[in-house]
Amino acid sequence: MQTKNILIWVIAILILAIQPVLADSLIAGDAAAFFKANSLNIIKPAEVSSAMKIVVLLTMLSIVPTLLIATTSFLRIIIVLSMLRHAIGMQDTPPNAALISIAIFLTIFSMQPVWSEINQNAWAPFQANKVSMEEAFDRGVSPMREFMIRQTREKDLSLMVDLSGAERPETMNEIDTTQLIPAFMLSELRSAFQIGFMIFLPFLLIDLVVASILTSLGMMMVPPITISLPLKILMFILIDGWNLVVKSLMSSFS
């Protein structure tokens, strides 16, 4: 049912997209010939195929940001990097643009096998006119579903099935994608917070030690962050923190 709705929506956009072709033919003064030649076939199959590919591509581009957050490893990665920045104590360093750029590249690396399978089994055959759009859509969704199912907890899946009011599926393949995506996002949030908690602990220890030393010395007017921030940066550099965080993030998806 969802696939049919998507097809109907795409066909409606396609009709709007080919309106300029109709207008150009009428303006050229060949209205009678145009309608006579196209009474059964409004536009050539090759032109329909090209127009449909353009519509599909533009539609995909418009929803890429949402899909990037909701169906890939991007959510876990960007949350962990943001928590790392807060754990160190620097609110704006590294800047958001830097963290997002790193998160996007790490997402590409972690999702490369899935996207390669989608390109090979769905997008490439669709471009070559070997499969229909509906079949290409089904082929493309399957690898993404497999990835999300591997990263999703059964408890989160059960919660979304209960909230949707649907019958409990007997197998993973029977789970609707609209139930799988929010369950996957909940699991990603949990995993990101677990990793972030482990990152916070050593920095919290430094803050406590510095605050205790300043209190024992009677330097209560000195903000602990003034002393602890350089120490935390130094520790992070000495242990090669960025390398460890990235390696841990990437291994969490395996």
Side-chain angles (χ1 to χ4, degrees):
M1 182 63 67
Q2 293 178 356
T3 304
K4 291 182 179 179
N5 292 336
I6 293 175
L7 287 175
I8 293 174
W9 183 69
V10 171
I11 291 173
I13 298 178
L14 179 60
I15 294 174
L16 295 177
I18 65 175
Q19 282 184 348
V21 178
L22 298 175
D24 292 342
S25 300
L26 294 175
I27 292 174
D30 297 331
F34 177 81
F35 285 110
K36 181 178 180 181
N38 296 278
S39 57
L40 297 178
N41 187 12
I42 297 178
I43 193 168
K44 295 180 180 179
E47 295 178 352
V48 172
S49 178
S50 299
M52 184 172 295
K53 289 179 180 178
I54 294 174
V55 170
V56 171
L57 181 59
L58 293 177
T59 303
M60 291 176 61
L61 290 176
S62 65
I63 62 176
V64 160
T66 302
L67 293 178
L68 181 66
I69 296 174
T71 63
T72 69
S73 57
F74 179 84
L75 182 61
R76 182 189 305 185
I77 294 172
I78 192 62
I79 289 178
V80 170
L81 294 179
S82 298
M83 293 183 72
L84 170 62
R85 181 174 64 180
H86 287 290
I88 295 176
M90 298 183 293
Q91 302 299 321
D92 299 319
T93 305
N96 291 332
L99 293 183
I100 293 174
S101 299
I102 295 174
I104 290 175
F105 278 102
L106 294 180
T107 301
I108 293 174
F109 296 152
S110 61
M111 299 296 298
Q112 187 65 38
V114 178
W115 290 343
S116 297
E117 186 177 354
I118 293 174
N119 179 67
Q120 181 179 357
N121 298 334
W123 181 247
F126 176 70
Q127 280 190 314
N129 296 323
K130 294 182 179 179
V131 297
S132 63
M133 184 171 61
E134 182 176 356
E135 184 178 355
F137 177 80
D138 293 336
R139 290 186 180 185
V141 168
S142 180
M144 293 298 301
R145 284 176 55 88
E146 292 177 2
F147 169 79
M148 289 189 289
I149 288 174
R150 288 198 305 268
Q151 306 296 331
T152 305
R153 299 188 309 157
E154 292 185 6
K155 187 176 182 180
D156 294 328
L157 280 173
S158 177
L159 173 63
M160 289 304 157
V161 172
D162 293 339
L163 291 177
S164 65
E167 296 182 359
R168 286 189 171 273
E170 297 181 359
T171 62
M172 286 294 187
N173 293 331
E174 296 179 1
I175 297 176
D176 193 82
T177 305
T178 57
Q179 301 165 359
L180 177 59
I181 291 178
F184 167 75
M185 295 181 70
L186 285 181
S187 298
E188 288 294 282
L189 288 173
R190 176 185 173 87
S191 299
F193 274 67
Q194 288 176 336
I195 299 174
F197 173 76
M198 299 303 296
I199 292 175
F200 257 96
L201 286 179
F203 297 109
L204 178 61
L205 180 61
I206 293 177
D207 287 332
L208 291 176
V209 171
V210 170
S212 299
I213 293 175
L214 291 177
T215 302
S216 62
L217 294 176
M219 303 173 62
M220 298 180 181
M221 300 302 294
V222 179
I225 190 67
T226 305
I227 308 298
S228 63
L229 180 57
L231 294 177
K232 288 188 286 187
I233 295 175
L234 177 62
M235 182 200 72
F236 195 68
I237 293 173
L238 292 176
I239 65 174
D240 198 6
W242 288 110
N243 189 292
L244 291 176
V245 170
V246 170
K247 186 182 296 183
S248 299
L249 270 174
M250 300 303 291
S251 62
S252 67
F253 294 103
S254 60

